[in-house]
Amino acid sequence: MEFAYTEEQLMIQDVARRIAQEKIAPSAEHFDKVGEFPVENIRLLGENGLMGIETPEEYGGAGMDAQAYVLAMIEVAAGDAAHSTIMSVNNSLYTNGLLKFGTEAQKQKYVRPIAEGQAIGAFALTEPQSGSDATAMRCRAVKQADGSFVINGKKSWITSGPVAKYVVLFAMTEPGKGAKGITAFMVDTDKPGFGRGKTEPKLGIRASATCEIEFNDYVAQPDEVLGKEGEGFKIAMGVLDAGRIGIASQAIGIARAAYERTLEYVRERKAFGAPIGTFQMTQAKIADMKCKLEASLLLTLRAAWLKQQSKPFSSEAAIAKLTASEAAMWITHQAVQIHGGMGYSKEMPLERYFRDAKITEIYEGTSEIQRLVIARAETGLR
Ligand code: CAA
Ligand code: FAD
């Protein structure tokens, strides 16, 4: 594995850092407070190639590699976590399955507008009664004599659901067959039969819009099936492997922002006649924060490197996500503590980092599910 970044990787990192620091970070407090989708900032990310980083240029993307995606995600998440959630779904969960399993026509139709920042995509796997246990889904797609499917059911917690033009949907086509009975579909949210529920009020990443979506006799044509019938669960799991690299990157970005603020504070804030950074208890926290950040970054870059070498990376992505998300929770917790009362105040972003970090332990597979994936790979047992 190469430890130096390529020119291309540094370039996208620089673009992402500039937008994150100049546009996103200054508006983060506002969007967190009002809980609004940041339309203009997301458009700007799209115009600068940040909504299709790994998407080949022929489909409107930047044609870069997985490590470039990691670096850009870290920068945007350091500016604001919610923006990076929207970015991660467009770049990864929505696009990856289409690039791997989509027909040429599907790639042109569904990938290009998202990669170019003209539209927003979503990924719908979770249901009210099934999150971790994803094969227990009830959303039903019934095949008709003409080859089309009639879809009925609900999906919950759909990131960008309120604003998405297209959705990658997973529905049960053959109940009783478990994972092998699930098929992936491309849904156009402007078609009849598609509906949206209320936007979820959330603890953190409040500018990322999340809602339930509903299907009432929604008709999907045969050319709206993604991959083969019954292949949907494998598509979802493969896509989530890559998605977890993005969430690990998001966690690193949130944690880095909290760490950098903390470094400034321990130099400036005085107690007992000395900067609080001179106290050994504070120094130990700084050292542990730095170690967790570096370990998370290296594990995430390794998973990304395996992906770009087309080597298996499922367990490595889970290791990266688990490590980075738990590091982000720990680091943001300590950052609040080191800031004392100011850490608890909305006048500083520490409490927001702390709230935002929590989601990285929950979505795209909880920490328990990452441990399950890792332990199954290690032991060969189920
Ligand atoms: N890649 C390809 N195929 C895979 C796979 C992978 N990583 N993991 C499993 N599969 C295949 C298996 O090989 C198996 O197929 P065969 O029977 O042909 O071998 C099939 O899928 C079923 O696998 P399992 O028996 O392992 O399935 P399981 O029911 O035990 O579930 C699980 C495994 C890891 C717990 C899985 O259900 C899971 O990851 N759950 C978490 C769901 C999740 O992450 N949801 C995220 C929603 S999106 C989101 O959250 C977005 C956002 O926040 C922004
Ligand atoms: P459950 O699966 O009910 O789990 C409850 C608890 O039980 C958890 O602690 C879990 O770890 C534990 N648990 C479950 N099974 C096991 C086990 N086998 N061993 C040990 N512990 C276990 N989903 C989408 O499809 N698309 C999206 O865009 C999306 N965006 C989201 C955005 C937000 C803000 C949130 C909060 C969620 C989002 N989700 C999305 C859903 C998310 O992926 C699920 O919430 C997550 O996978 C957990 O599922 P659950 O909430 O149903 O919890």
Side-chain angles (χ1 to χ4, degrees):
M1 180 167 134
E2 185 57 65
F3 282 92
Y5 299 136
T6 64
E7 245 175 63
E8 210 173 47
Q9 289 164 352
L10 288 171
M11 190 192 78
I12 196 89
Q13 181 187 45
D14 192 54
V15 171
R17 181 179 297 150
R18 202 167 27 77
I19 298 173
Q21 294 309 317
E22 288 172 13
K23 297 281 182 200
I24 296 176
S27 58
E29 184 188 345
H30 164 77
F31 285 116
D32 175 60
K33 199 166 169 186
V34 297
E36 251 173 42
F37 189 86
V39 178
E40 291 305 321
N41 286 346
I42 292 302
R43 190 170 300 144
L44 188 64
L45 289 173
E47 284 165 5
N48 283 275
L50 292 162
M51 289 302 179
I53 294 172
E54 293 175 78
T55 301
E57 287 171 23
E58 61 199 290
Y59 305 119
M64 294 191 181
D65 61 19
Q67 289 188 333
Y69 174 56
V70 168
L71 298 179
M73 269 293 288
I74 292 173
E75 293 307 324
V76 173
D80 177 50
H83 285 70
S84 67
T85 300
I86 302 159
M87 174 177 165
S88 90
V89 173
N90 273 0
N91 271 280
S92 185
L93 292 190
Y94 175 85
T95 302
N96 271 339
L98 275 162
L99 287 179
K100 197 158 172 200
F101 297 93
T103 61
E104 183 57 30
Q106 285 177 330
K107 289 180 199 171
Q108 289 295 348
K109 177 173 178 184
Y110 300 112
V111 175
R112 179 173 288 283
I114 273 63
E116 289 178 345
Q118 312 293 332
I120 302 286
F123 175 92
L125 180 67
T126 306
E127 297 187 4
Q129 80 299 330
S130 62
S132 304
D133 185 8
T135 65
M137 69 176 62
R138 291 184 193 152
C139 183
R140 184 84 167 88
V142 180
K143 195 167 189 176
Q144 310 296 298
D146 64 357
S148 66
F149 290 81
V150 174
I151 304 177
N152 282 287
K154 269 188 185 167
K155 292 281 168 182
S156 52
W157 287 110
I158 305 309
T159 295
S160 297
V163 290
K165 164 69 175 157
Y166 298 118
V167 180
V168 179
L169 170 75
F170 300 89
M172 192 59 86
T173 39
E174 285 197 72
K177 285 183 93 175
K180 292 191 171 62
I182 295 169
T183 300
F185 296 91
M186 291 310 305
V187 166
D188 182 336
T189 60
D190 290 327
K191 278 185 24 176
F194 176 86
R196 296 176 165 102
K198 73 169 172 57
T199 305
E200 296 290 351
K202 303 191 294 294
L203 173 72
I205 55 160
R206 288 173 36 75
S208 147
T210 323
C211 72
E212 202 165 72
I213 58 175
E214 271 187 27
F215 297 87
N216 290 303
D217 291 337
Y218 179 96
V219 179
Q221 298 302 332
D223 64 356
E224 291 167 333
V225 172
L226 175 61
K228 297 196 185 85
E229 274 175 62
E231 210 177 34
F233 194 69
K234 283 196 188 246
I235 296 176
M237 290 295 109
V239 163
L240 279 164
D241 285 341
R244 288 166 186 165
I245 296 175
I247 302 307
S249 312
Q250 175 180 51
I252 294 167
I254 301 167
R256 196 192 75 192
Y259 175 70
E260 285 173 352
R261 287 276 182 156
T262 304
L263 271 189
E264 282 171 27
Y265 198 71
V266 300
R267 291 190 189 111
E268 287 161 13
R269 177 75 179 171
K270 291 202 171 101
F272 300 96
I276 59 171
T278 60
F279 306 148
Q280 284 190 345
M281 272 190 269
T282 310
Q283 289 176 348
K285 284 177 183 166
I286 296 290
D288 288 349
M289 283 172 152
K290 179 69 176 167
C291 291
K292 285 177 194 288
L293 261 179
E294 292 288 308
S296 302
L297 179 61
L298 288 174
L299 287 170
T300 305
L301 287 171
R302 178 186 63 163
W305 180 83
L306 289 168
K307 176 175 185 271
Q308 68 205 28
Q309 302 295 316
S310 302
K311 294 181 193 291
F313 65 94
S314 175
S315 181
E316 289 78 3
I319 292 171
K321 185 195 183 257
L322 177 63
T323 305
S325 59
E326 294 194 346
M329 251 343 259
W330 192 87
I331 290 167
T332 54
H333 176 195
Q334 296 303 333
V336 169
Q337 189 67 17
I338 290 175
H339 281 76
M342 286 315 292
Y344 203 68
S345 166
K346 285 204 180 282
E347 284 176 16
M348 288 196 81
L350 284 310
E351 61 84 33
R352 171 161 49 84
Y353 298 147
F354 181 54
R355 286 186 284 112
D356 286 345
K358 183 60 202 166
I359 191 57
T360 64
E361 293 185 321
I362 296 175
Y363 60 15
E364 299 207 20
T366 62
S367 295
E368 289 76 15
I369 293 304
Q370 306 311 319
R371 288 190 163 87
L372 176 151
V373 169
I374 298 160
R376 279 184 180 178
E378 288 299 299
T379 62
L381 300 171
R382 299 177 38 85

